[in-house]
Amino acid sequence: MPAQPTGPTPTRFAFLGPEGTFTEAALRSLGPPSEGGSVPAASVPAALAMARSGEVDAAFVPLENSVEGSVSPTIDGLAGGEPLVITREAFLEVDFVLGVRPGAGLADVARLGSHPHALAQTRGWVAQHLPDAEVLPAASTADAARLVAEGALDGAVCPEFAAQRYGLEVAAARLADTPGAVTRFVQVERPGRLPAPTGADKTTLTCFVADRTGALLDLLTEFASRGISLTRLESRPTRERLGVYSFSVDCEGHVADRRVGDALVALHRLCDEVRFHGSYPRADGRAAAAVPERFADTAFGTAEGWLARLRQGAAG
Amino acid sequence: MPAQPTGPTPTRFAFLGPEGTFTEAALRSLGPPSEGGSVPAASVPAALAMARSGEVDAAFVPLENSVEGSVSPTIDGLAGGEPLVITREAFLEVDFVLGVRPGAGLADVARLGSHPHALAQTRGWVAQHLPDAEVLPAASTADAARLVAEGALDGAVCPEFAAQRYGLEVAAARLADTPGAVTRFVQVERPGRLPAPTGADKTTLTCFVADRTGALLDLLTEFASRGISLTRLESRPTRERLGVYSFSVDCEGHVADRRVGDALVALHRLCDEVRFHGSYPRADGRAAAAVPERFADTAFGTAEGWLARLRQGAAG
Amino acid sequence: MPAQPTGPTPTRFAFLGPEGTFTEAALRSLGPPSEGGSVPAASVPAALAMARSGEVDAAFVPLENSVEGSVSPTIDGLAGGEPLVITREAFLEVDFVLGVRPGAGLADVARLGSHPHALAQTRGWVAQHLPDAEVLPAASTADAARLVAEGALDGAVCPEFAAQRYGLEVAAARLADTPGAVTRFVQVERPGRLPAPTGADKTTLTCFVADRTGALLDLLTEFASRGISLTRLESRPTRERLGVYSFSVDCEGHVADRRVGDALVALHRLCDEVRFHGSYPRADGRAAAAVPERFADTAFGTAEGWLARLRQGAAG
Amino acid sequence: MPAQPTGPTPTRFAFLGPEGTFTEAALRSLGPPSEGGSVPAASVPAALAMARSGEVDAAFVPLENSVEGSVSPTIDGLAGGEPLVITREAFLEVDFVLGVRPGAGLADVARLGSHPHALAQTRGWVAQHLPDAEVLPAASTADAARLVAEGALDGAVCPEFAAQRYGLEVAAARLADTPGAVTRFVQVERPGRLPAPTGADKTTLTCFVADRTGALLDLLTEFASRGISLTRLESRPTRERLGVYSFSVDCEGHVADRRVGDALVALHRLCDEVRFHGSYPRADGRAAAAVPERFADTAFGTAEGWLARLRQGAAG
């Protein structure tokens, strides 16, 4: 295995904006702001385009279960277009606060705003605590917070992070009707840098296969027969290619691991196309399962040494 | 096979509202309004709750790729809670028009509104044709149309159906930056009625399995070994049950088909839990693949007759 | 499950003869001679023919690792021709003694005889202890013993059972160069009687499948996906059917077990032909592995009840 | 792929004797006698031992369906002990003639001899045409021919080749009750020489796996997922290792083929032990199926190049 390709750590970021979104909150949770700064993007495709063009070093976008940006643009944005790779993931519990201007309280909230999805997820709380408020849509939860600060609204259903950013006070917290939702965010970059294996990594792929019974089974067999667990799997229709399905997959392990590399080679032979979207440390707080001996790098090395001897006529 | 359970066809519907949404457009595309009428629901969970409570006979909601309501609430709403079954599906091409008051034109659109996701999907068109318009979020595309009719906005990015409903004129059409998106909608009811098999059906399930390498492979093997193609597959984390994954699956065939019934029995043994979400005619315009002889009902009947004879001591 | 088909226990047997063979020894090991008596057959096909014709109630023949009769005639004799089912199996350690006339010893053995295979398996012992003896082939080990009793030979390499039967003394025992060989014998009958399940049973089948990559994998999947272990598997070319392979299989479990019955139904659909060769108590001294809950009869019953409810429109 | 290891072609052979056996006939069918000559061995183990010790360059022995030597000693002889590899295979139709002394006819055959298995396979013919002959066992079919030449017998059921070798005349041919049997023979050598791939090759292995449901399935998956057909498969109990099964396997392809090498690496990881018994041209007269593109060497090369680029941080 050659040395891991390294490169400068990204310093300029685009995130799904505007300022104050859960996405920015997740980005901030990873450490202090980088010197290059971070800029809000108007949409996931816009953030990805900024990363592709080099306008920023990396885009930071939601991948699963987001409130404001649905998942599809990220998954589809990776599956198509110029290659991008994931270099980091982050998880953030998504809950809402009621942000009001300093000194105000619940009784002062005549006009309440937020992104329609956030309003949908806090409908019960609002009906109980603010039954008489006028409920208004906003372009994002963060935008609602900004509108409160500017006086156009009296209350915002928003991330605590947005309330802080726009100088609001938290009049109430834990507004989600179903608490505990966690959103997963990823940092994506142009190819070139590959995070070093940590022993607890994930790899993300898109596999395109012809539409036949058993194609998915064949595909999954290549993971299972190498002891690789999948942590996410979604079939997605491909609009452009008739009769072709795509599977968006997260699996355990790093492309530098022999078992993952071996599976990739098999998938490359099996599929119409495989797109590699990076290997990166997992951040879901789950310990990676111990890799059974027969799937460890040494097992591959031993087996390949044996094969090489057989091909030279030795007994093995 | 006993006679198919039948019951009264639903006449009262709840749909993901408000009036004029793509969801209502899809519902209307299935036929003239029913006598019981249809009422808008404020959210997918609200629509499902109305079906569960008996307030309506059926709910009509998006299942894949929707603009206004993300998929998750429908899938999660089926997977948990009181049982509901899908009895019908519909597909609708999702594209946007610019709705304006009669007599108005592009030049009159100073204030443009829509659901944030619809605005995101038409950003290119808007930047080119209405660069100076103030862009405002609305709770839904239909709500934007209503606000235009009421004079609060000058233009709405909305379904053509919404423009018609609110008496608007179409000042421009095909606004989507990436045209061709199709959304899939489903009609769900309380269990009791099972649409008769048509020879081109789909069955929807949620399977809960323990988190181990190979669990998904085992699950898919039960479909593949009976010649059943999957048309959609998504892994979803289960928030409540640690270490348990759920798979939301659409497959070809009807629960009344022997191969599908046989697969369900196997899945029931294999999985922690299987939830059945209905069998219904497929409406995706794709012909069902011919079922190979060895997966046909007669093959099951013949084989079971043979087994019965063996168990009675015959040679078979 | 209907009552097990029963019938009169066989009383008249044909065994691979002549008298004194390992086969007769194995038959005797199962209990005292039956009233109907047992007759030697000249060959495995002859013994099977006697069972088929009704001349005897059952044939007793070697199935694996025999010295005097190779396995193939038994396996091929079951796979083709009129149906026969196995109703019992027995295992016997195969070792040889040196049988001599009473009063004689090693020094008296000038002419030593046995079946060529038995001579091959004791070559080392003979070379060491009887280097000067003339070694002569016999039609069977038992025939060699008979020839010693008649004075035509001085020593026979034969089963201890044959020495007893022909009134010989054992001049030496444990002659096999590689001790510990065990031969498996089976009792076969015309169909009609099916031994009751004991919880530790075996089932024997021949499966004919078209010659394509993956056919065997599909076949084995039907066993593995129902938790059924195979205890023997042999591919055999089929002479008569071009491009068709047959697999002779022993698996754990009884045709009356749900999981075995379910697998048989699947195999019947999958294969060109499946021949059932009986379910019978295993006699290999190995405890049957506990059947995991999801493969137990109750799991099938529960699952089928659930399916029946689904098909009637219930929620399951 | 390095150049194929080559070495001197064997010139000294041991074959399963004595002179005149089907085995010698098969050896002769491959070409004129080599200069080093060929010597009969008393048994399959003896022939293998001569190859192992270097007394001869190669042993020539039956592997499937032999009359005189059962298959087991060859398969077991390869599976255990010092490594040996197969370098050539040959097929011979096994049928019998009646060998008599020149000038004699059927009426002169008072004493008829052969190996017991050959006598069993011609019982019908003998009963019809020589009902009064005394039937005597011989150590081999060839030995029976020799005894006829020496006058100790009057007729031998033997290969035509044996009749020629011992100067007998063929009084009748095609004696087998079930004609058409073909026996497969193999040439085995000490490792060191590996026949060059021809595009229509076979590879022989013994795989040892722990006794668990699914182990065999896993094993076969490694072949099937690489498009490799098996041409022979036998499970064999391992006497020495409790709870371990061995599978004796012939598959299509050559160890130098990428797909075969890749499968071997996987098997090496999967199995307790894999023994390689050689790759050699197939001689069964069946054309090798065309290798689908995704299993061809170029598909492996392309995929591995892609993986290497990924690991260096490229987009692939």
Side-chain angles (χ1 to χ4, degrees):
Chain A
M1 177 67 44
Q4 219 56 39
T6 54
T9 305
T11 59
R12 298 169 302 150
F13 291 89
F15 61 89
L16 176 64
E19 297 192 349
T21 54
F22 283 113
T23 306
E24 190 186 11
L27 176 58
R28 289 291 162 264
S29 75
L30 293 174
S34 61
E35 58 183 70
S38 55
V39 295
S43 66
V44 167
L48 299 181
M50 291 168 76
R52 282 191 170 105
S53 72
E55 191 176 342
V56 296
D57 300 326
F60 203 80
V61 291
L63 183 65
E64 291 186 76
N65 287 334
S66 179
V67 173
E68 288 152 342
S70 76
V71 178
S72 305
T74 302
I75 292 178
D76 294 347
L78 289 173
E82 286 297 302
L84 288 172
V85 293
I86 301 172
T87 53
R88 196 156 58 155
E89 70 173 6
F91 290 81
L92 186 74
E93 187 180 346
V94 166
D95 208 339
F96 303 94
V97 303
L98 175 65
V100 295
R101 282 181 295 277
L106 250 71
D108 302 313
V109 178
R111 296 162 56 94
L112 176 72
S114 194
H115 187 279
H117 288 177
L119 292 171
Q121 291 176 40
T122 55
R123 195 178 309 273
W125 188 92
V126 170
Q128 187 178 352
H129 296 95
L130 294 171
D132 300 323
E134 183 183 3
V135 177
L136 296 164
S140 67
T141 55
D143 219 41
R146 182 182 58 81
L147 292 169
V148 172
E150 294 175 359
L153 295 172
D154 305 313
V157 173
C158 64
E160 185 175 10
F161 180 80
Q164 292 169 354
R165 170 163 293 262
Y166 289 101
L168 306 187
E169 279 184 7
V170 173
R174 300 220 154 258
L175 271 56
D177 296 334
T178 309
V182 169
T183 288
R184 177 180 172 216
F185 300 87
V186 292
Q187 172 177 317
V188 301
E189 309 177 26
R190 289 179 302 287
R193 209 172 62 91
L194 191 56
T198 66
D201 305 287
K202 275 186 195 166
T203 294
T204 299
L205 307 169
T206 307
C207 302
F208 298 86
V209 293
D211 172 24
R212 59 173 183 80
T213 303
L216 177 58
L217 193 65
D218 289 350
L219 195 153
L220 294 180
T221 294
E222 303 297 355
F223 291 99
S225 66
R226 292 168 179 90
I228 302 170
S229 284
L230 301 189
T231 57
R232 184 181 57 84
L233 171 65
E234 286 178 70
S235 73
R236 299 186 69 78
T238 53
R239 200 182 296 165
E240 299 80 11
R241 315 189 204 181
L242 215 68
V244 171
Y245 275 72
S246 78
F247 296 96
S248 176
V249 171
D250 292 340
C251 70
E252 293 186 340
H254 192 287
V255 65
D257 296 339
R258 297 296 293 267
R259 60 189 183 129
V260 175
D262 204 55
L264 282 169
V265 166
L267 293 172
H268 191 276
R269 290 188 297 104
L270 179 64
C271 299
D272 287 7
E273 185 185 351
V274 181
R275 296 199 73 163
F276 173 75
H277 303 311
S279 292
Y280 45 91
R282 66 191 298 173
D284 52 9
R286 301 182 58 173
V291 177
E293 196 182 332
R294 66 188 174 111
F295 300 124
D297 280 12
T298 49
F300 280 89
T302 304
E304 286 170 7
W306 172 74
L307 175 63
R309 289 193 299 279
L310 292 184
R311 285 177 168 168
Q312 289 160 10
Chain B
M1 176 71 40
Q4 219 57 36
T6 54
T9 304
T11 58
R12 297 170 302 151
F13 291 88
F15 62 87
L16 175 65
E19 297 191 347
T21 54
F22 284 113
T23 308
E24 191 187 11
L27 177 57
R28 289 292 162 262
S29 75
L30 294 174
S34 62
E35 59 181 71
S38 56
V39 294
S43 66
V44 166
L48 299 182
M50 291 169 76
R52 282 191 170 104
S53 71
E55 191 177 340
V56 295
D57 301 324
F60 204 81
V61 291
L63 182 65
E64 291 186 75
N65 286 336
S66 179
V67 174
E68 288 154 343
S70 77
V71 178
S72 306
T74 301
I75 291 176
D76 295 348
L78 290 172
E82 287 297 301
L84 287 171
V85 293
I86 300 171
T87 53
R88 198 157 56 156
E89 70 173 6
F91 289 81
L92 188 73
E93 187 180 347
V94 166
D95 207 337
F96 304 94
V97 303
L98 175 66
V100 296
R101 281 181 297 278
L106 250 72
D108 303 311
V109 179
R111 294 163 56 94
L112 176 72
S114 195
H115 186 281
H117 287 176
L119 291 172
Q121 291 176 40
T122 54
R123 194 179 310 274
W125 188 92
V126 170
Q128 187 178 351
H129 296 93
L130 294 170
D132 300 324
E134 183 183 4
V135 177
L136 296 164
S140 67
T141 55
D143 221 42
R146 183 182 57 80
L147 292 170
V148 171
E150 294 175 358
L153 293 173
D154 305 311
V157 172
C158 65
E160 183 174 10
F161 180 79
Q164 292 168 354
R165 171 162 292 263
Y166 290 102
L168 305 187
E169 279 183 7
V170 173
R174 301 222 154 256
L175 273 56
D177 296 335
T178 310
V182 170
T183 289
R184 177 181 171 215
F185 301 86
V186 291
Q187 172 176 317
V188 301
E189 309 177 26
R190 289 179 303 287
R193 208 170 65 90
L194 192 56
T198 66
D201 305 287
K202 276 186 194 167
T203 294
T204 299
L205 307 169
T206 307
C207 301
F208 298 86
V209 295
D211 173 22
R212 60 175 183 78
T213 302
L216 177 57
L217 193 65
D218 289 351
L219 195 153
L220 294 180
T221 295
E222 302 297 356
F223 290 99
S225 67
R226 291 167 180 91
I228 303 170
S229 284
L230 302 188
T231 55
R232 185 182 56 85
L233 171 65
E234 287 178 70
S235 73
R236 299 186 69 76
T238 55
R239 201 182 296 164
E240 301 81 10
R241 315 187 203 181
L242 215 69
V244 171
Y245 275 73
S246 78
F247 295 96
S248 177
V249 171
D250 293 340
C251 69
E252 293 187 340
H254 192 286
V255 65
D257 295 338
R258 298 295 294 268
R259 61 189 182 129
V260 175
D262 203 57
L264 282 169
V265 165
L267 293 173
H268 190 276
R269 292 188 296 100
L270 178 64
C271 298
D272 287 8
E273 186 186 349
V274 182
R275 296 200 73 163
F276 173 75
H277 303 311
S279 291
Y280 46 90
R282 66 191 299 174
D284 52 8
R286 299 182 57 172
V291 176
E293 197 183 333
R294 66 190 174 111
F295 300 125
D297 280 12
T298 49
F300 280 90
T302 304
E304 286 171 7
W306 172 74
L307 175 63
R309 289 193 299 278
L310 292 184
R311 283 175 169 170
Q312 288 161 10
Chain C
M1 176 69 41
Q4 217 58 36
T6 54
T9 304
T11 59
R12 297 169 303 150
F13 290 88
F15 62 87
L16 176 64
E19 297 190 348
T21 54
F22 282 113
T23 307
E24 190 187 11
L27 177 58
R28 290 290 162 265
S29 75
L30 294 174
S34 62
E35 57 182 72
S38 56
V39 294
S43 66
V44 166
L48 299 181
M50 292 168 75
R52 283 192 169 105
S53 71
E55 192 177 342
V56 296
D57 300 325
F60 203 81
V61 291
L63 183 65
E64 291 187 76
N65 286 336
S66 178
V67 173
E68 288 153 343
S70 75
V71 177
S72 304
T74 301
I75 291 177
D76 294 348
L78 289 172
E82 288 296 302
L84 288 172
V85 292
I86 300 171
T87 53
R88 197 157 58 157
E89 70 172 6
F91 289 82
L92 187 74
E93 188 181 344
V94 166
D95 207 337
F96 303 94
V97 302
L98 175 65
V100 296
R101 282 180 296 278
L106 250 72
D108 302 312
V109 178
R111 294 162 58 92
L112 176 74
S114 195
H115 186 280
H117 288 177
L119 292 171
Q121 291 177 40
T122 55
R123 195 178 311 272
W125 188 92
V126 170
Q128 185 177 355
H129 296 93
L130 293 171
D132 300 324
E134 183 183 3
V135 177
L136 296 164
S140 68
T141 56
D143 220 43
R146 181 181 61 78
L147 292 170
V148 170
E150 293 175 359
L153 295 172
D154 305 312
V157 172
C158 65
E160 183 173 12
F161 179 78
Q164 291 169 355
R165 170 162 292 262
Y166 290 102
L168 306 186
E169 279 185 8
V170 173
R174 302 221 153 257
L175 272 55
D177 296 334
T178 310
V182 169
T183 288
R184 178 181 172 215
F185 301 87
V186 292
Q187 173 177 317
V188 300
E189 309 177 27
R190 289 179 302 287
R193 207 170 65 89
L194 192 56
T198 65
D201 304 288
K202 275 186 194 166
T203 294
T204 299
L205 306 169
T206 307
C207 302
F208 297 85
V209 294
D211 172 25
R212 60 176 183 81
T213 303
L216 177 58
L217 193 65
D218 290 350
L219 195 154
L220 295 181
T221 295
E222 302 297 354
F223 291 99
S225 66
R226 291 167 180 91
I228 303 171
S229 283
L230 301 189
T231 56
R232 184 181 57 84
L233 171 66
E234 287 178 71
S235 73
R236 300 184 69 75
T238 54
R239 201 181 295 164
E240 299 80 9
R241 315 188 204 182
L242 215 69
V244 172
Y245 275 72
S246 78
F247 295 96
S248 177
V249 170
D250 293 340
C251 69
E252 293 188 341
H254 193 285
V255 65
D257 296 339
R258 297 296 293 268
R259 62 189 180 128
V260 175
D262 203 56
L264 281 169
V265 166
L267 292 173
H268 190 277
R269 291 187 298 101
L270 179 64
C271 298
D272 288 7
E273 186 186 350
V274 182
R275 297 199 69 163
F276 172 74
H277 303 311
S279 291
Y280 46 89
R282 66 191 299 173
D284 53 9
R286 301 182 56 173
V291 177
E293 197 183 331
R294 67 188 173 111
F295 300 124
D297 280 11
T298 49
F300 280 90
T302 304
E304 286 171 6
W306 172 75
L307 175 63
R309 289 193 300 278
L310 291 185
R311 284 177 168 169
Q312 288 160 11
Chain D
M1 176 70 42
Q4 218 57 36
T6 54
T9 305
T11 58
R12 297 169 304 150
F13 291 89
F15 62 87
L16 176 63
E19 297 191 348
T21 54
F22 284 112
T23 307
E24 190 187 10
L27 177 57
R28 289 292 162 263
S29 75
L30 294 175
S34 61
E35 58 183 72
S38 57
V39 293
S43 66
V44 167
L48 300 181
M50 290 167 76
R52 282 190 169 107
S53 71
E55 191 176 341
V56 296
D57 300 324
F60 203 80
V61 291
L63 182 65
E64 291 186 76
N65 287 334
S66 181
V67 174
E68 287 152 344
S70 76
V71 177
S72 306
T74 302
I75 291 177
D76 295 347
L78 290 173
E82 287 295 303
L84 288 172
V85 293
I86 300 172
T87 52
R88 196 157 57 155
E89 71 174 4
F91 290 82
L92 188 73
E93 188 181 346
V94 166
D95 206 338
F96 302 95
V97 302
L98 174 66
V100 296
R101 281 181 296 280
L106 250 73
D108 302 313
V109 178
R111 295 164 56 93
L112 176 73
S114 196
H115 186 281
H117 287 177
L119 292 171
Q121 291 177 39
T122 55
R123 195 178 311 274
W125 188 93
V126 170
Q128 187 178 351
H129 296 94
L130 294 171
D132 299 323
E134 184 183 4
V135 177
L136 295 165
S140 69
T141 55
D143 220 41
R146 181 183 58 80
L147 291 169
V148 171
E150 293 175 358
L153 294 172
D154 305 313
V157 172
C158 65
E160 184 175 9
F161 180 79
Q164 291 169 353
R165 169 163 294 262
Y166 290 102
L168 306 187
E169 279 184 10
V170 173
R174 302 222 153 255
L175 272 55
D177 296 336
T178 309
V182 169
T183 289
R184 177 181 172 215
F185 300 86
V186 291
Q187 172 176 320
V188 300
E189 310 177 26
R190 291 180 302 287
R193 207 171 64 92
L194 192 55
T198 66
D201 305 287
K202 277 186 193 166
T203 294
T204 299
L205 306 169
T206 307
C207 300
F208 298 85
V209 294
D211 173 23
R212 60 175 183 81
T213 302
L216 177 57
L217 194 64
D218 289 350
L219 196 153
L220 294 182
T221 295
E222 302 297 356
F223 291 99
S225 66
R226 292 168 180 90
I228 304 171
S229 284
L230 301 189
T231 55
R232 184 181 57 84
L233 171 66
E234 288 178 69
S235 73
R236 301 186 68 78
T238 55
R239 201 181 294 164
E240 299 80 10
R241 315 190 203 180
L242 217 66
V244 171
Y245 275 73
S246 79
F247 295 96
S248 178
V249 171
D250 292 340
C251 70
E252 292 186 341
H254 192 286
V255 66
D257 295 339
R258 297 295 294 267
R259 61 188 182 131
V260 174
D262 203 55
L264 282 169
V265 165
L267 293 172
H268 191 277
R269 291 187 298 103
L270 179 64
C271 299
D272 288 8
E273 186 185 351
V274 181
R275 297 198 71 163
F276 172 75
H277 303 311
S279 293
Y280 45 90
R282 66 190 300 174
D284 52 10
R286 300 182 57 173
V291 177
E293 195 183 334
R294 65 188 174 112
F295 300 125
D297 280 11
T298 47
F300 280 90
T302 304
E304 286 171 6
W306 173 73
L307 174 63
R309 289 193 299 276
L310 292 184
R311 284 177 167 167
Q312 288 160 11

